[in-house]
Amino acid sequence: MYIGTVLKNIREEQGFSLLEIQKNTGIQESQLCRIESGIRFPTDEQIFILARFYNIDSDQLQIQRDSDKILENIKAYSNQELVLDVAKQKLESKGNYLSVAADSLPGATIPLESRRYIGCKQKLVDWIFDIIDNETTNIHTATDIFAGTGVVAKKMLGLYDNVIINDFLFSNNQIYTAFFKHGPWNKEKILKKIELYNNLDETKLEENYFSVNYGGKYFDYDMSKKIGWIREDIENSKSDLTEKEYAILLTTLIYNIDKHANTLGHFEAYIKKPIKKAELKLRLIDVKEFENLTIYREDSNQLAREIKSDLVYIDPPYNSRQYCRFYHVYETLVKWDKPVLTGVAMKPPAENMSKYCTSHAPKTFSDLIENLDSKYLAISYNNTYNSKSGSSKNKIELEEIEEVLNVKGKTKKFAKDYRFFNAGKTDLENHQELLYITKVR
């Protein structure tokens, strides 16, 4: 139902004539007539005025109007449903259009930035390093001590002589090795493996650990059989693979199944709806090699006592949501120790739990800062918001962060308005991403 028809039905249900609407809203009767007949779209101002007069939600009217505009724009295409489906994929990719578009391009690889990950700094990385560049000098060695997706580390690799990358998750460690680490690998060999996997008939595969536990939940059942078969083959082939090749195959699997995962972007829960049937076709990740890096998988507070760096970038967990639990499916997929899984979310026994997600966070953060040997510190954090969910509330108050940093050295604060991940239970009005730069005394 087009916006014009919607507005006409509302007007008639409320018993108004076009002339009465003109007198009460100031919108000309001729304009109203063209809007209701679908000749023209209402402006934002007209929608607001009409919504207020009819006592309805203006946002819903705007959605109706904007969806009409989209339909108008694709009328000329014969494959309208396909166009809309690809547009939806692009929207769900949170701006990573390259990954979605590349699906139809022969030989295109999947970029590091295309993975769904809570707290990813891809949209902020240029802002962060513009500030770092202005506020620091003589940086030769840089460290990303909570590396997460690796997008900040990737930026560092193009700027500094030496880079240290660290994250406690097994899956992230393999991802860094695949995307960044220098080492021998044979592209033709990897592509032959991918061709083998892509030619599998998933409907004829037997059940396996992955399909039994995750099939029909996080992934379509047949697709989960294929994922499990591929993972088992990678493990069985490990003796014939270099460290880099093993990591590339694991990471390629993760990045390709990520877009099919029946989740909101993490594995705390799966969507309780029928899973849309889709075929898993793997594409190689965008493999790079850098000689100027060292990769760790250590507790950040312990690593702080072992390294020396000119710059350390710090992006700790913000709340009680443990990343090892958010991404437990990928942790299990990489470790492949096939633990007994429990609960609705099918989680393994807890491990690698971070103190930054507990009441110990302020003390843990203070210990980290105190023991870092670095000329400059760059700390990302978001301003404390009013949360209806206890798991969303920041574990370290901004005042506590500033107190610790000011003891360490001269500290400046920078802010940027930023839309944060929101599952719907949190008031994120006026949400900001903060960056602290501390010049260590």
Side-chain angles (χ1 to χ4, degrees), residues 45 61 71 77 83 86 169 174 219 228 232 255 271 274-275 286 295 308 314 326 340 349 397 399 423 429 436:
E45 183 182 9
L61 287 181
L71 292 174
Y77 301 103
V83 170
V86 172
L169 296 192
Q174 288 296 322
F219 299 93
E232 194 68 43
Y255 268 70
I271 300 171
I275 302 174
D286 185 23
I295 300 173
K308 184 174 182 178
I314 303 166
F326 260 26
V340 175
E397 298 292 338
E399 293 78 11
E429 186 177 355
Y436 292 93

Side-chain angles (χ1 to χ4, degrees), residues 175-190:
I175 287 169
Y176 309 149
T177 299
F179 274 105
F180 302 140
K181 191 170 184 179
H182 180 75
W185 72 286
N186 186 312
K187 185 175 182 179
E188 183 179 351
K189 179 180 176 182
I190 296 296

